[in-house]
Amino acid sequence: QGDDVAPLTYQVLLSLYFDIFGQRSKFSDELSSTGRLGKRNFFWSRGRKGASRQAETKMGCVPSKSSKTQAVVLQPYCVLILGAAGSGKSTLTKQLRLFHGVTFTPDEINLFRTAFIANIYLAVYDLIKYAEKAGHNVATPAARKFFVELDPYAEPFNADSATLIKQILTDQNVKAIRGKMPRNPYLEVLAYAEDKLDEIDSRNWTPSVEDVLHARCTTSGVTVTKFVSGTEEWTFIDVGGQPGQRKKWANAVPQDTTLSAVFFFVAADEYDMPCEETPGKTKIQTSLKIWQEALAPGGVTANVPVVLVLNRIDMLAKKLQEDDCESFKEAFPRFKRDEDREDLEIALDILKDAYLDKTSANSKQSIYVQRTCALDGENIKNMFNTVRTNLQRFKA
């Protein structure tokens, strides 16, 4: 009843059903043992006018230890997730859903399947175009025509697709340029999927949990994820990070909802990557500008704790090692090695200071800093528990 929220009575009845028949543990065991996403659906996804794509999820898992029905009062927490496009916001919500037992609907699994396959096709297209720009022909005319003209979101994936992709990936010129290409989220998906191309068939392939986490889907509109954890009801509101989507940040939180915190995501490895939306600037420089605007007095983050999430630290560590920190030194001349500290630790402290320096000198806002790899489930679980403890103290 109502537009999007199930009545509390339904949550209690659902919980009693789980307790009596023991289904909750069964489904959790299935997920952990098989690594596959089942098709059982204990939450729903509904679109809302004004959003191109919006999923709202709800899980009612309120333990019932008494034979008598008791009133359940849940402590509400609402978190707004902000940041530039591609910084890892959507991966966080996927991890939190898995962490709290919120499964994916068949429609969402189909969406991730389509996105994962499209990511692969787009990566191969980027490889071909980058190689041609460098003066190399890396595909037969027929293969080039296939990858350049296909609709990546509609083209089926089968053994023939996998064969064509492997032909291009084994080309010596492609091998030579892959390491020189700018970071590209589609290329990262391709690198992950390269050893499993023969397993993928768009007709009957079900993506695993890891596949879902790696799939890159552009967030358009507002995505709301809800779950119950203990005696707390959490709502995470993810808003797209593209320029047009950032206009929606100010109105993303319903007027009758109290905002508990803001997560601001940063892709820590983008310190030297050119930004398409602001020519002449790096993605980190654009992110810093967005951060400063988001924390401006009277803005969406006013009077609530802010969690600065330095994400993709695994990729940052890899880049620092690959060029012996030279590109980071160029972006941040204050970088200096210390024999008692790891290069990654020094770089992360510099990034943290760069963001904190953009806050108002008169600001009394509480800012917490977290360092994460959103693809690492244990890492996200620890981050959530740490933030949860801090917010509980803030509310007290």
Side-chain angles (χ1 to χ4, degrees), residues 70-343:
Q70 299 178 356
V72 180
V73 179
L74 299 176
Q75 182 72 23
Y77 286 89
C78 179
V79 178
L80 181 62
I81 312 174
L82 305 178
S87 55
K89 304 186 300 298
S90 297
T91 307
L92 168 71
T93 58
K94 293 178 190 175
Q95 290 281 24
L96 289 174
R97 288 176 62 166
L98 293 170
F99 176 27
H100 291 91
V102 184
T103 57
F104 295 100
T105 66
D107 285 345
E108 286 178 309
I109 294 173
N110 288 333
L111 172 65
F112 293 134
R113 179 193 294 114
T114 300
F116 191 88
I117 291 172
N119 292 164
I120 295 174
Y121 280 141
L122 289 168
V124 176
Y125 172 84
D126 287 342
L127 279 172
I128 292 173
K129 300 302 287 186
Y130 192 84
E132 290 178 347
K133 188 176 180 180
H136 304 300
N137 291 319
V138 298
T140 64
R144 183 188 185 282
K145 179 179 176 65
F146 174 76
F147 288 110
V148 171
E149 296 184 2
L150 64 77
D151 178 350
Y153 293 94
E155 184 68 33
F157 196 101
N158 50 39
D160 293 337
S161 310
T163 298
L164 287 175
I165 291 172
K166 285 187 280 189
Q167 287 176 357
I168 291 174
L169 295 181
T170 54
D171 183 276
Q172 294 302 313
N173 290 321
V174 169
K175 289 182 177 180
I177 66 166
R178 279 186 76 175
K180 301 176 183 178
M181 290 183 67
R183 180 217 156 197
N184 180 317
Y186 303 135
L187 291 174
E188 292 177 6
V189 177
L190 178 61
Y192 163 78
E194 195 168 342
D195 294 333
K196 56 192 305 179
L197 292 174
D198 293 330
E199 302 174 15
I200 302 173
D201 188 316
S202 55
R203 294 169 297 180
N204 54 22
W205 171 68
T206 300
S208 69
V209 171
E210 284 299 314
D211 298 335
V212 167
L213 291 174
H214 279 82
R216 296 293 178 259
C217 304
T218 300
T219 300
S220 179
V222 179
T223 301
V224 180
T225 300
K226 295 185 179 183
F227 56 83
V228 173
S229 181
T231 59
E232 300 164 350
E233 182 181 54
W234 287 82
T235 301
F236 280 82
I237 303 175
D238 177 15
V239 192
Q242 299 81 9
Q245 298 298 318
R246 295 200 294 267
K247 298 176 182 178
K248 302 175 183 177
W249 287 5
N251 300 314
V253 181
Q255 292 184 353
D256 59 350
T257 300
T258 300
L259 188 62
S260 305
V262 171
F263 282 18
F264 190 94
F265 265 69
V266 175
D269 62 320
E270 293 185 339
Y271 57 85
D272 63 342
M273 297 178 187
C275 183
E276 293 181 1
E277 70 173 86
T278 51
K281 300 289 185 180
T282 65
K283 289 188 175 182
I284 280 288
Q285 289 172 330
T286 300
S287 174
L288 283 164
K289 183 175 183 293
I290 297 171
W291 161 266
Q292 190 172 24
E293 292 171 352
L295 267 69
V300 68
T301 66
N303 303 318
V304 296
V306 176
V307 182
L308 174 63
V309 184
L310 301 178
N311 189 35
R312 295 177 58 85
I313 62 174
D314 55 328
M315 300 305 294
L316 173 60
K318 182 179 178 181
K319 286 183 69 171
L320 294 175
Q321 186 176 22
E322 285 177 347
D323 71 351
D324 200 30
C325 303
E326 289 302 318
S327 59
F328 194 88
K329 291 177 186 176
E330 185 175 345
F332 296 95
R334 57 172 286 200
F335 178 91
K336 291 184 180 179
R337 278 201 162 106
D338 185 333
E339 61 181 16
D340 295 325
R341 302 178 68 200
E342 296 288 337
D343 291 339

